[in-house]
mmCIF file of all heavy atoms in Angstrom:
data_model
loop_
_atom_site.group_PDB
_atom_site.id
_atom_site.type_symbol
_atom_site.label_atom_id
_atom_site.label_comp_id
_atom_site.label_asym_id
_atom_site.label_seq_id
_atom_site.Cartn_x
_atom_site.Cartn_y
_atom_site.Cartn_z
ATOM 1 N N TYR A 1249 15.405 -22.635 189.975
ATOM 2 C CA TYR A 1249 16.126 -23.370 191.124
ATOM 3 C C TYR A 1249 17.417 -24.014 190.753
ATOM 4 O O TYR A 1249 17.536 -24.772 189.719
ATOM 5 C CB TYR A 1249 15.082 -24.487 191.638
ATOM 6 C CG TYR A 1249 15.753 -25.295 192.684
ATOM 7 C CD1 TYR A 1249 16.069 -24.802 193.901
ATOM 8 C CD2 TYR A 1249 15.931 -26.669 192.424
ATOM 9 C CE1 TYR A 1249 16.587 -25.613 194.972
ATOM 10 C CE2 TYR A 1249 16.614 -27.608 193.477
ATOM 11 C CZ TYR A 1249 16.847 -27.008 194.706
ATOM 12 O OH TYR A 1249 17.400 -27.831 195.583
ATOM 13 N N ILE A 1250 18.429 -23.699 191.496
ATOM 14 C CA ILE A 1250 19.746 -24.278 191.373
ATOM 15 C C ILE A 1250 20.101 -24.987 192.764
ATOM 16 O O ILE A 1250 20.122 -24.388 193.741
ATOM 17 C CB ILE A 1250 20.854 -23.239 191.082
ATOM 18 C CG1 ILE A 1250 20.514 -22.662 189.633
ATOM 19 C CG2 ILE A 1250 22.144 -23.823 191.058
ATOM 20 C CD1 ILE A 1250 20.735 -23.618 188.551
ATOM 21 N N LYS A 1251 20.414 -26.279 192.701
ATOM 22 C CA LYS A 1251 20.714 -27.153 193.850
ATOM 23 C C LYS A 1251 22.149 -26.847 194.229
ATOM 24 O O LYS A 1251 22.462 -26.755 195.504
ATOM 25 C CB LYS A 1251 20.457 -28.500 193.538
ATOM 26 C CG LYS A 1251 20.700 -29.469 194.692
ATOM 27 C CD LYS A 1251 20.200 -30.827 194.327
ATOM 28 C CE LYS A 1251 20.696 -31.517 193.204
ATOM 29 N NZ LYS A 1251 20.314 -32.884 192.996
ATOM 30 N N ASN A 1252 23.144 -26.869 193.309
ATOM 31 C CA ASN A 1252 24.511 -26.700 193.584
ATOM 32 C C ASN A 1252 25.168 -26.249 192.403
ATOM 33 O O ASN A 1252 24.656 -26.178 191.262
ATOM 34 C CB ASN A 1252 25.063 -27.953 194.207
ATOM 35 C CG ASN A 1252 24.806 -29.141 193.390
ATOM 36 O OD1 ASN A 1252 24.774 -29.216 192.168
ATOM 37 N ND2 ASN A 1252 24.624 -30.273 194.060
ATOM 38 N N SER A 1253 26.643 -26.161 192.367
ATOM 39 C CA SER A 1253 27.272 -25.703 191.250
ATOM 40 C C SER A 1253 27.189 -26.842 190.023
ATOM 41 O O SER A 1253 27.107 -26.415 188.869
ATOM 42 C CB SER A 1253 28.797 -25.695 191.615
ATOM 43 O OG SER A 1253 28.952 -24.629 192.560
ATOM 44 N N GLN A 1254 27.202 -28.087 190.371
ATOM 45 C CA GLN A 1254 27.092 -29.063 189.293
ATOM 46 C C GLN A 1254 25.758 -29.027 188.614
ATOM 47 O O GLN A 1254 25.691 -29.102 187.340
ATOM 48 C CB GLN A 1254 27.336 -30.429 189.898
ATOM 49 C CG GLN A 1254 27.242 -31.647 188.864
ATOM 50 C CD GLN A 1254 27.498 -32.923 189.535
ATOM 51 O OE1 GLN A 1254 27.751 -33.071 190.677
ATOM 52 N NE2 GLN A 1254 27.231 -33.946 188.677
ATOM 53 N N HIS A 1255 24.666 -28.821 189.299
ATOM 54 C CA HIS A 1255 23.374 -28.652 188.800
ATOM 55 C C HIS A 1255 23.363 -27.390 187.930
ATOM 56 O O HIS A 1255 22.782 -27.502 186.794
ATOM 57 C CB HIS A 1255 22.439 -28.524 189.938
ATOM 58 C CG HIS A 1255 20.999 -28.450 189.470
ATOM 59 N ND1 HIS A 1255 20.065 -27.727 190.014
ATOM 60 C CD2 HIS A 1255 20.355 -29.129 188.385
ATOM 61 C CE1 HIS A 1255 18.818 -27.849 189.540
ATOM 62 N NE2 HIS A 1255 19.096 -28.712 188.464
ATOM 63 N N PHE A 1256 23.959 -26.329 188.352
ATOM 64 C CA PHE A 1256 24.094 -25.079 187.500
ATOM 65 C C PHE A 1256 24.775 -25.342 186.215
ATOM 66 O O PHE A 1256 24.310 -24.907 185.096
ATOM 67 C CB PHE A 1256 24.787 -23.950 188.197
ATOM 68 C CG PHE A 1256 25.080 -22.856 187.410
ATOM 69 C CD1 PHE A 1256 24.094 -21.963 186.745
ATOM 70 C CD2 PHE A 1256 26.419 -22.549 187.022
ATOM 71 C CE1 PHE A 1256 24.483 -20.987 185.979
ATOM 72 C CE2 PHE A 1256 26.788 -21.508 186.244
ATOM 73 C CZ PHE A 1256 25.850 -20.760 185.709
ATOM 74 N N VAL A 1257 25.915 -26.016 186.268
ATOM 75 C CA VAL A 1257 26.641 -26.326 184.979
ATOM 76 C C VAL A 1257 25.807 -27.145 184.079
ATOM 77 O O VAL A 1257 25.899 -26.843 182.778
ATOM 78 C CB VAL A 1257 27.940 -27.067 185.388
ATOM 79 C CG1 VAL A 1257 28.731 -27.600 184.051
ATOM 80 C CG2 VAL A 1257 29.029 -26.076 186.066
ATOM 81 N N GLU A 1258 25.124 -28.068 184.519
ATOM 82 C CA GLU A 1258 24.344 -28.892 183.728
ATOM 83 C C GLU A 1258 23.162 -28.064 183.052
ATOM 84 O O GLU A 1258 22.951 -28.138 181.797
ATOM 85 C CB GLU A 1258 23.608 -29.988 184.546
ATOM 86 C CG GLU A 1258 24.652 -31.123 184.961
ATOM 87 C CD GLU A 1258 23.975 -31.962 185.976
ATOM 88 O OE1 GLU A 1258 22.834 -31.868 186.376
ATOM 89 O OE2 GLU A 1258 24.657 -32.925 186.437
ATOM 90 N N LYS A 1259 22.533 -27.161 183.743
ATOM 91 C CA LYS A 1259 21.530 -26.345 183.207
ATOM 92 C C LYS A 1259 22.028 -25.308 182.284
ATOM 93 O O LYS A 1259 21.381 -25.039 181.241
ATOM 94 C CB LYS A 1259 20.698 -25.777 184.357
ATOM 95 C CG LYS A 1259 19.954 -26.747 185.162
ATOM 96 C CD LYS A 1259 19.016 -26.098 186.312
ATOM 97 C CE LYS A 1259 17.722 -25.518 185.539
ATOM 98 N NZ LYS A 1259 16.586 -25.161 186.491
ATOM 99 N N ALA A 1260 23.080 -24.730 182.623
ATOM 100 C CA ALA A 1260 23.685 -23.702 181.781
ATOM 101 C C ALA A 1260 24.128 -24.221 180.486
ATOM 102 O O ALA A 1260 24.077 -23.568 179.432
ATOM 103 C CB ALA A 1260 24.902 -23.037 182.478
ATOM 104 N N GLY A 1261 24.575 -25.531 180.401
ATOM 105 C CA GLY A 1261 25.081 -26.063 179.158
ATOM 106 C C GLY A 1261 23.984 -26.246 178.176
ATOM 107 O O GLY A 1261 24.177 -26.645 176.962
ATOM 108 N N GLN A 1262 22.605 -26.245 178.587
ATOM 109 C CA GLN A 1262 21.500 -26.463 177.667
ATOM 110 C C GLN A 1262 20.929 -25.080 177.119
ATOM 111 O O GLN A 1262 20.048 -25.153 176.290
ATOM 112 C CB GLN A 1262 20.379 -27.172 178.543
ATOM 113 C CG GLN A 1262 20.835 -28.557 179.094
ATOM 114 C CD GLN A 1262 19.793 -29.132 180.040
ATOM 115 O OE1 GLN A 1262 18.751 -28.589 180.091
ATOM 116 N NE2 GLN A 1262 20.233 -30.083 180.742
ATOM 117 N N ILE A 1263 21.601 -23.989 177.521
ATOM 118 C CA ILE A 1263 21.080 -22.714 176.918
ATOM 119 C C ILE A 1263 21.691 -22.329 175.576
ATOM 120 O O ILE A 1263 22.882 -22.243 175.427
ATOM 121 C CB ILE A 1263 21.516 -21.616 178.053
ATOM 122 C CG1 ILE A 1263 20.903 -21.914 179.405
ATOM 123 C CG2 ILE A 1263 20.881 -20.310 177.521
ATOM 124 C CD1 ILE A 1263 21.487 -20.964 180.502
ATOM 125 N N PRO A 1264 20.811 -22.200 174.646
ATOM 126 C CA PRO A 1264 21.328 -21.643 173.233
ATOM 127 C C PRO A 1264 21.736 -20.274 173.391
ATOM 128 O O PRO A 1264 21.028 -19.399 173.906
ATOM 129 C CB PRO A 1264 20.242 -21.810 172.392
ATOM 130 C CG PRO A 1264 18.921 -21.749 173.384
ATOM 131 C CD PRO A 1264 19.414 -22.319 174.741
ATOM 132 N N ILE A 1265 22.964 -19.974 172.963
ATOM 133 C CA ILE A 1265 23.526 -18.602 173.072
ATOM 134 C C ILE A 1265 23.642 -17.991 171.722
ATOM 135 O O ILE A 1265 24.040 -18.680 170.747
ATOM 136 C CB ILE A 1265 24.947 -18.538 173.718
ATOM 137 C CG1 ILE A 1265 24.797 -19.188 175.220
ATOM 138 C CG2 ILE A 1265 25.641 -17.262 173.672
ATOM 139 C CD1 ILE A 1265 24.054 -18.334 176.042
ATOM 140 N N GLU A 1266 23.355 -16.679 171.556
ATOM 141 C CA GLU A 1266 23.516 -15.951 170.379
ATOM 142 C C GLU A 1266 24.563 -14.778 170.590
ATOM 143 O O GLU A 1266 24.813 -14.518 171.729
ATOM 144 C CB GLU A 1266 22.112 -15.208 170.062
ATOM 145 C CG GLU A 1266 21.032 -16.272 169.661
ATOM 146 C CD GLU A 1266 19.738 -15.556 169.155
ATOM 147 O OE1 GLU A 1266 19.839 -14.316 169.122
ATOM 148 O OE2 GLU A 1266 18.773 -16.314 168.916
ATOM 149 N N PRO A 1267 25.184 -14.382 169.435
ATOM 150 C CA PRO A 1267 26.324 -13.455 169.670
ATOM 151 C C PRO A 1267 26.110 -12.265 170.493
ATOM 152 O O PRO A 1267 27.022 -11.850 171.095
ATOM 153 C CB PRO A 1267 26.689 -13.101 168.217
ATOM 154 C CG PRO A 1267 26.202 -14.273 167.381
ATOM 155 C CD PRO A 1267 24.994 -14.778 168.091
ATOM 156 N N GLY A 1268 24.886 -11.667 170.438
ATOM 157 C CA GLY A 1268 24.593 -10.390 171.164
ATOM 158 C C GLY A 1268 24.262 -10.582 172.668
ATOM 159 O O GLY A 1268 24.061 -9.676 173.420
ATOM 160 N N ASP A 1269 24.163 -11.872 173.075
ATOM 161 C CA ASP A 1269 23.711 -12.118 174.469
ATOM 162 C C ASP A 1269 24.741 -11.656 175.549
ATOM 163 O O ASP A 1269 25.922 -11.679 175.239
ATOM 164 C CB ASP A 1269 23.478 -13.614 174.627
ATOM 165 C CG ASP A 1269 22.255 -14.077 173.919
ATOM 166 O OD1 ASP A 1269 21.410 -13.216 173.387
ATOM 167 O OD2 ASP A 1269 22.018 -15.272 173.748
ATOM 168 N N LEU A 1270 24.213 -11.198 176.613
ATOM 169 C CA LEU A 1270 25.164 -10.923 177.736
ATOM 170 C C LEU A 1270 24.979 -11.814 178.903
ATOM 171 O O LEU A 1270 23.888 -12.157 179.157
ATOM 172 C CB LEU A 1270 24.699 -9.448 178.167
ATOM 173 C CG LEU A 1270 24.921 -8.143 177.213
ATOM 174 C CD1 LEU A 1270 24.311 -6.936 177.843
ATOM 175 C CD2 LEU A 1270 26.400 -8.131 176.958
ATOM 176 N N LEU A 1271 26.162 -12.215 179.478
ATOM 177 C CA LEU A 1271 26.182 -12.979 180.658
ATOM 178 C C LEU A 1271 26.191 -12.162 181.894
ATOM 179 O O LEU A 1271 27.063 -11.333 181.927
ATOM 180 C CB LEU A 1271 27.355 -13.931 180.616
ATOM 181 C CG LEU A 1271 27.539 -14.824 179.363
ATOM 182 C CD1 LEU A 1271 28.679 -15.848 179.667
ATOM 183 C CD2 LEU A 1271 26.318 -15.575 179.056
ATOM 184 N N VAL A 1272 25.258 -12.225 182.730
ATOM 185 C CA VAL A 1272 25.112 -11.211 183.851
ATOM 186 C C VAL A 1272 24.984 -12.004 185.201
ATOM 187 O O VAL A 1272 24.294 -13.123 185.191
ATOM 188 C CB VAL A 1272 23.891 -10.396 183.629
ATOM 189 C CG1 VAL A 1272 23.772 -9.248 184.705
ATOM 190 C CG2 VAL A 1272 23.969 -9.717 182.309
ATOM 191 N N SER A 1273 25.459 -11.516 186.303
ATOM 192 C CA SER A 1273 25.156 -12.050 187.588
ATOM 193 C C SER A 1273 24.512 -10.829 188.411
ATOM 194 O O SER A 1273 25.057 -9.772 188.402
ATOM 195 C CB SER A 1273 26.343 -12.620 188.256
ATOM 196 O OG SER A 1273 27.239 -11.713 188.650
ATOM 197 N N PHE A 1274 23.447 -11.165 189.135
ATOM 198 C CA PHE A 1274 22.779 -10.319 190.189
ATOM 199 C C PHE A 1274 23.148 -10.843 191.460
ATOM 200 O O PHE A 1274 22.901 -12.001 191.713
ATOM 201 C CB PHE A 1274 21.348 -10.130 189.902
ATOM 202 C CG PHE A 1274 20.963 -9.480 188.559
ATOM 203 C CD1 PHE A 1274 20.366 -10.197 187.503
ATOM 204 C CD2 PHE A 1274 21.318 -8.092 188.376
ATOM 205 C CE1 PHE A 1274 20.033 -9.604 186.339
ATOM 206 C CE2 PHE A 1274 21.009 -7.544 187.187
ATOM 207 C CZ PHE A 1274 20.334 -8.138 186.169
ATOM 208 N N ASP A 1275 23.454 -10.066 192.422
ATOM 209 C CA ASP A 1275 23.774 -10.456 193.725
ATOM 210 C C ASP A 1275 22.864 -9.568 194.751
ATOM 211 O O ASP A 1275 22.961 -8.346 194.717
ATOM 212 C CB ASP A 1275 25.258 -10.287 194.194
ATOM 213 C CG ASP A 1275 25.522 -10.748 195.556
ATOM 214 O OD1 ASP A 1275 24.705 -11.460 196.131
ATOM 215 O OD2 ASP A 1275 26.703 -10.484 195.929
ATOM 216 N N VAL A 1276 22.008 -10.243 195.584
ATOM 217 C CA VAL A 1276 21.237 -9.514 196.495
ATOM 218 C C VAL A 1276 22.225 -8.991 197.697
ATOM 219 O O VAL A 1276 22.947 -9.837 198.155
ATOM 220 C CB VAL A 1276 20.118 -10.434 197.107
ATOM 221 C CG1 VAL A 1276 19.228 -9.553 198.106
ATOM 222 C CG2 VAL A 1276 19.237 -10.930 195.970
ATOM 223 N N VAL A 1277 22.025 -7.787 197.964
ATOM 224 C CA VAL A 1277 22.909 -7.162 199.120
ATOM 225 C C VAL A 1277 22.389 -7.747 200.437
ATOM 226 O O VAL A 1277 21.239 -7.557 200.801
ATOM 227 C CB VAL A 1277 22.755 -5.602 199.126
ATOM 228 C CG1 VAL A 1277 23.625 -5.118 200.121
ATOM 229 C CG2 VAL A 1277 23.292 -5.074 197.714
ATOM 230 N N SER A 1278 23.244 -8.598 201.133
ATOM 231 C CA SER A 1278 22.956 -9.022 202.429
ATOM 232 C C SER A 1278 21.475 -9.621 202.513
ATOM 233 O O SER A 1278 20.784 -9.120 203.327
ATOM 234 C CB SER A 1278 23.094 -8.004 203.472
ATOM 235 O OG SER A 1278 24.435 -7.415 203.547
ATOM 236 N N LEU A 1279 21.264 -10.675 201.773
ATOM 237 C CA LEU A 1279 19.911 -11.166 201.700
ATOM 238 C C LEU A 1279 19.393 -11.619 202.973
ATOM 239 O O LEU A 1279 18.296 -11.200 203.327
ATOM 240 C CB LEU A 1279 19.901 -12.460 200.752
ATOM 241 C CG LEU A 1279 18.529 -13.187 200.615
ATOM 242 C CD1 LEU A 1279 17.419 -12.374 200.124
ATOM 243 C CD2 LEU A 1279 18.689 -14.392 199.917
ATOM 244 N N PHE A 1280 20.052 -12.371 203.777
ATOM 245 C CA PHE A 1280 19.455 -12.945 205.054
ATOM 246 C C PHE A 1280 19.094 -11.841 206.054
ATOM 247 O O PHE A 1280 17.985 -12.003 206.625
ATOM 248 C CB PHE A 1280 20.567 -13.923 205.558
ATOM 249 C CG PHE A 1280 20.465 -15.315 204.921
ATOM 250 C CD1 PHE A 1280 20.821 -15.336 203.688
ATOM 251 C CD2 PHE A 1280 20.138 -16.486 205.604
ATOM 252 C CE1 PHE A 1280 20.828 -16.641 202.969
ATOM 253 C CE2 PHE A 1280 20.189 -17.696 204.988
ATOM 254 C CZ PHE A 1280 20.550 -17.773 203.785
ATOM 255 N N THR A 1281 19.917 -10.906 206.101
ATOM 256 C CA THR A 1281 19.601 -9.822 207.076
ATOM 257 C C THR A 1281 18.544 -8.783 206.485
ATOM 258 O O THR A 1281 18.107 -7.880 207.223
ATOM 259 C CB THR A 1281 20.822 -8.989 207.467
ATOM 260 O OG1 THR A 1281 21.466 -8.478 206.364
ATOM 261 C CG2 THR A 1281 21.825 -9.909 208.149
ATOM 262 N N ASN A 1282 18.162 -8.946 205.242
ATOM 263 C CA ASN A 1282 17.318 -8.052 204.620
ATOM 264 C C ASN A 1282 15.958 -8.761 204.368
ATOM 265 O O ASN A 1282 15.103 -7.945 203.967
ATOM 266 C CB ASN A 1282 17.930 -7.334 203.431
ATOM 267 C CG ASN A 1282 18.781 -6.350 203.744
ATOM 268 O OD1 ASN A 1282 18.614 -5.365 204.523
ATOM 269 N ND2 ASN A 1282 19.996 -6.237 203.255
ATOM 270 N N VAL A 1283 15.840 -9.988 204.341
ATOM 271 C CA VAL A 1283 14.610 -10.638 204.024
ATOM 272 C C VAL A 1283 13.512 -10.194 205.106
ATOM 273 O O VAL A 1283 13.714 -10.310 206.266
ATOM 274 C CB VAL A 1283 14.604 -12.132 204.056
ATOM 275 C CG1 VAL A 1283 13.291 -12.803 204.137
ATOM 276 C CG2 VAL A 1283 15.321 -12.649 202.886
ATOM 277 N N PRO A 1284 12.479 -9.511 204.717
ATOM 278 C CA PRO A 1284 11.455 -8.984 205.670
ATOM 279 C C PRO A 1284 10.698 -10.098 206.243
ATOM 280 O O PRO A 1284 9.874 -10.930 205.591
ATOM 281 C CB PRO A 1284 10.559 -8.057 204.840
ATOM 282 C CG PRO A 1284 10.743 -8.604 203.452
ATOM 283 C CD PRO A 1284 12.119 -9.143 203.311
ATOM 284 N N ILE A 1285 10.770 -10.381 207.561
ATOM 285 C CA ILE A 1285 10.204 -11.476 208.168
ATOM 286 C C ILE A 1285 8.623 -11.464 208.116
ATOM 287 O O ILE A 1285 8.092 -12.515 207.785
ATOM 288 C CB ILE A 1285 10.685 -11.622 209.661
ATOM 289 C CG1 ILE A 1285 12.099 -11.942 209.733
ATOM 290 C CG2 ILE A 1285 9.783 -12.535 210.417
ATOM 291 C CD1 ILE A 1285 12.798 -11.888 211.129
ATOM 292 N N ASP A 1286 8.012 -10.298 208.282
ATOM 293 C CA ASP A 1286 6.588 -10.317 208.195
ATOM 294 C C ASP A 1286 6.038 -10.649 206.744
ATOM 295 O O ASP A 1286 5.090 -11.431 206.613
ATOM 296 C CB ASP A 1286 6.057 -8.876 208.520
ATOM 297 C CG ASP A 1286 6.118 -8.665 210.018
ATOM 298 O OD1 ASP A 1286 6.268 -9.659 210.902
ATOM 299 O OD2 ASP A 1286 6.121 -7.518 210.434
ATOM 300 N N ASP A 1287 6.711 -10.131 205.691
ATOM 301 C CA ASP A 1287 6.344 -10.357 204.343
ATOM 302 C C ASP A 1287 6.567 -11.885 204.054
ATOM 303 O O ASP A 1287 5.614 -12.511 203.428
ATOM 304 C CB ASP A 1287 7.122 -9.503 203.329
ATOM 305 C CG ASP A 1287 6.657 -8.063 203.563
ATOM 306 O OD1 ASP A 1287 5.770 -7.774 204.244
ATOM 307 O OD2 ASP A 1287 7.302 -7.097 202.818
ATOM 308 N N ALA A 1288 7.703 -12.426 204.399
ATOM 309 C CA ALA A 1288 8.070 -13.831 204.190
ATOM 310 C C ALA A 1288 7.037 -14.695 204.905
ATOM 311 O O ALA A 1288 6.506 -15.710 204.334
ATOM 312 C CB ALA A 1288 9.449 -14.060 204.509
#
């Protein structure tokens, strides 16, 4: 759970990083229009 950008910066600053780690972002394609209402 991330509340906002400031919360994210605080949590990210606590992650120990190693040289081979990759920073990645995943983005859901059109989340709101694709959330299945019956399943939700």
Side-chain angles (χ1 to χ4, degrees):
Y1249 174 67
I1250 293 295
K1251 182 169 58 177
N1252 51 37
S1253 296
Q1254 182 179 351
H1255 187 212
F1256 166 69
V1257 170
E1258 292 171 358
K1259 295 188 75 167
Q1262 301 171 10
I1263 303 171
I1265 297 296
E1266 295 184 1
D1269 291 347
L1270 294 172
L1271 309 184
V1272 185
S1273 71
F1274 293 113
D1275 183 12
V1276 181
V1277 178
S1278 302
L1279 173 63
F1280 281 57
T1281 55
N1282 282 311
V1283 168
I1285 292 175
D1286 287 341
D1287 290 355

